[in-house]
Each structure stands twice: as C-alpha cells, then as structure tokens.
Amino acid sequence: EEEAEASGGSPRPNSSGSSHTSKGSKPSPQGDLSDDDGFSAPAKFANPQMASFDTIDTHKLQVEDKCETIAQRLEKALITVKPGYCIIALCHEINPISEIELLAQASKKKVYAVDCALKVRNRPKPAQIAHAFTEAMHSGSWFAILHASKSVGTLQLLESLLKELHERNLEGVHPESKIFLCMEQHPHFPRYLAHGAVTIK
C-alpha cells in the first residue's frame, strides 16, 4: 500500500524500499487532456519539444500462454527491453505497482514511482520527478509512472528527459535501470516514448 505524502513532496522510499506517493482521492474516470491539467513545469521543462502525438505503436511482447500473470509478463519484458527505453503496461483499471515492487525486491532494486491518479497538489513537482528519474537512471534503479494516461504533462516531461538521454547516447545510464509506464491506451500518447519500448497487456 502506498503511504500518504505531504503536498508537493518528492517520492520517498516505503518499507519495501520503493518510493512513491499516496493514493489520495479517487481519480476521475477520464484522463486530463488539457494543457492546463495542473502540471506546472519549471522553466527547463515548460515547453518540451514535442514533434507529435500519436496512438501507441510499439512492439508487443508475444505471450504464448494466455494464462500468464501480469508479473510473468513484466518479468519477460524486463529481459527484453533495452536500457533507456520503456516498458509500457497497458492495464485497464489495474495498478501493477505491487507486481513491480515484488520483482524489484527479488532483484534488490529501488523503485521510484509517481502516481498521476493523485490530485495535482499531491503529486511531486516536475523538478522532483526529473530528479527522481535521473537518480534511477544513474543508480540502476527502477522508475515507474502509474496511471500515466491521466497526465499528458507528465508524459511530456518524461519524453523530454528521454530525448536528452538519447542525445547523449545514454551516457551515464546504468544498464540495469528500468522505466515503467502503467496506463490505459490513449490517443495522445507521445510517439517518442513508444520508440524501442516493449508493450504488454
């Protein structure tokens, strides 16, 4: 279970070693698609360069056994995905953070998690998200965005951060670091995040 966090606080490790925000109030049934969805980015990330938006078009992990659990599919994706690219878990009304945390514990990895289902005032600030992402990439930890389709602004920020990493040829990125996007399919998902990603359902 996620622990309650102070308004605007940065993700902190819980007893399992993972770092995420509290559940807060129930999320709205529809994702916030407007430019003013409450995401107030600092100057560096105020206007990320977004070439376009598009539907998710990624390599889908082939699952031979339809009875496989989410944890088993995530475990396969961890082996398949390359450093600096995303694992996209398309989960309808399911939050796979528990499975991610269990896999992280087994691998002795720390998880930095941001929950976009929280009210805006309870989410970490953009600069805090960027710092957590950078820490995870350099230390070999795991970075996860939960309910990612509920905040286009957060996805834009992640896209900007990934572009910076790829422009530097992933310099300083730990080969064991992982990026998870847990979300429902969304027509305004940034195309760049799907590049090189492994998608599971």
Side-chain angles (χ1 to χ4, degrees):
E1 292 294 327
E2 298 175 347
E3 299 176 357
E5 293 289 336
S7 172
S10 51
R12 297 203 301 261
N14 63 9
S15 57
S16 68
S18 64
S19 171
H20 50 77
T21 53
S22 62
K23 290 182 177 177
S25 60
K26 294 182 179 179
S28 61
Q30 299 294 331
D32 195 345
L33 307 183
S34 62
D35 290 336
D36 57 347
D37 66 347
F39 192 101
S40 179
K44 182 178 180 181
F45 301 112
N47 296 296
Q49 297 299 313
M50 296 291 292
S52 61
F53 289 87
D54 202 353
T55 55
I56 296 176
D57 182 17
T58 63
H59 166 69
K60 290 182 173 57
L61 187 64
Q62 297 298 318
V63 180
E64 296 180 1
D65 185 358
K66 295 182 179 179
C67 296
E68 281 185 321
T69 65
I70 291 177
Q72 289 171 328
R73 296 175 191 180
L74 286 170
E75 194 168 11
K76 282 188 175 182
L78 286 168
I79 298 172
T80 305
V81 72
K82 296 180 180 179
Y85 296 92
C86 300
I87 295 173
I88 303 174
L90 297 177
C91 302
H92 181 64
E93 296 182 351
I94 297 176
N95 182 356
I97 186 60
S98 296
E99 287 83 359
I100 292 173
E101 288 181 336
L102 287 173
L103 290 170
Q105 286 179 351
S107 301
K108 297 181 180 180
K109 298 295 182 183
K110 182 177 180 179
V111 178
Y112 292 87
V114 177
D115 191 349
C116 292
L118 295 175
K119 289 185 176 180
V120 174
R121 65 174 178 268
N122 293 328
R123 297 180 198 166
K125 302 300 182 185
Q128 295 169 328
I129 295 174
H131 178 74
F133 175 82
T134 302
E135 285 289 318
M137 294 301 99
H138 290 173
S139 65
S141 301
W142 295 1
F143 180 83
I145 299 181
L146 313 177
H147 304 105
S149 51
K150 293 188 178 294
S151 176
V152 170
T154 302
L155 291 174
Q156 290 178 358
L157 172 60
L158 179 61
E159 182 180 49
S160 177
L161 293 168
L162 278 178
K163 281 184 175 181
E164 288 184 12
L165 287 183
H166 294 161
E167 286 171 0
R168 298 196 303 268
N169 295 318
L170 302 179
E171 181 181 354
V173 174
H174 195 289
E176 296 181 6
S177 61
K178 304 296 180 186
I179 306 165
F180 296 87
L181 295 179
C182 306
M183 57 182 292
E184 295 182 12
Q185 196 156 1
H186 196 291
H188 294 105
F189 183 84
R191 178 184 297 180
Y192 193 84
L193 295 180
H195 175 65
V198 173
T199 304
I200 64 173
K201 293 184 177 180

